[in-house]
């Protein structure tokens, strides 16, 4: 949905139980026209979608967020200041689902943390 439109993957590295990725945000994307004019920030729902899509790329399955146990928005992602965002995910696989802990960050600044359960859609 957002992959290769709102952002692209500059780097994606997956190993059992972990994902590391670097995302390049498209500053000219229409989402930033309304969120917010003159002060663009990445909407929280987009951060959640990015985590879901990273897990879909990793698992090669269509997933849905079934539960979001813990979600923290710690700092805004402004594409003028942070064109590239890093993602670090750890997960455990259970039958038909993945329990994921995800962090979006740039350098020492953490933007978003999520603990969620993703299930096959």
């Amino acid at each position: 949905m957002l992959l290769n439109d709102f952002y692209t993957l500059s780097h994606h590295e997956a190993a059992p139980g972990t994902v590391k990725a670097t995302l390049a945000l498209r500053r000219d994307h229409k989402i930033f026209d309304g969120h917010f004019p003159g002060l663009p920030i990445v909407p929280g729902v987009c951060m959640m979608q990015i985590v879901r899509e990273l897990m879909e790329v990793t698992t090669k399955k269509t997933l849905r967020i079934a539960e979001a146990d813990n979600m923290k928005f710690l700092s805004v992602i402004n594409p003028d200041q942070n064109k590239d965002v890093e993602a670090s995910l750890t997960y455990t696989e259970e039958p038909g689902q993945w329990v994921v802990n995800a962090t979006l960050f740039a350098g020492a600044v953490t933007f978003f943390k999520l603990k969620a359960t993703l299930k096959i859609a």
Side-chain angles (χ1 to χ4, degrees):
M1 180 185 225
L2 298 178
L3 180 58
N4 297 322
D5 182 35
F6 181 68
Y7 71 95
T8 57
L9 286 177
S10 306
H11 174 79
H12 178 264
E13 178 182 334
T18 65
V19 178
K20 304 277 185 210
T22 304
L23 322 166
L25 300 174
R26 278 197 45 222
R27 171 56 178 96
D28 63 341
H29 196 276
K30 63 185 173 190
I31 284 175
F32 295 120
D33 292 345
H35 204 265
F36 293 98
L39 181 61
I41 62 170
V42 174
V45 69
C46 292
M47 294 183 218
M48 292 176 63
Q49 179 69 15
I50 287 168
V51 171
R52 189 187 107 193
E53 289 179 0
L54 287 173
M55 283 302 296
E56 287 180 335
V57 168
T58 302
T59 63
K60 297 178 179 32
K61 304 214 180 292
T62 302
L63 303 173
R64 65 180 174 83
I65 297 175
E67 264 182 57
D69 297 334
N70 195 354
M71 189 178 336
K72 294 181 182 177
F73 299 95
L74 302 167
S75 186
V76 299
I77 303 174
N78 180 328
D80 292 334
Q81 297 169 352
N82 300 101
K83 182 182 184 298
D84 295 320
V85 174
E86 295 180 69
S88 176
L89 286 67
T90 58
Y91 64 90
T92 55
E93 184 175 355
E94 299 172 2
Q97 68 180 24
W98 292 261
V99 178
V100 179
N101 285 290
T103 304
L104 299 181
F105 62 97
V109 179
T110 300
F111 304 114
F112 174 68
K113 289 187 174 191
L114 173 68
K115 180 180 179 193
T117 300
L118 282 68
K119 294 187 176 190
I120 296 173

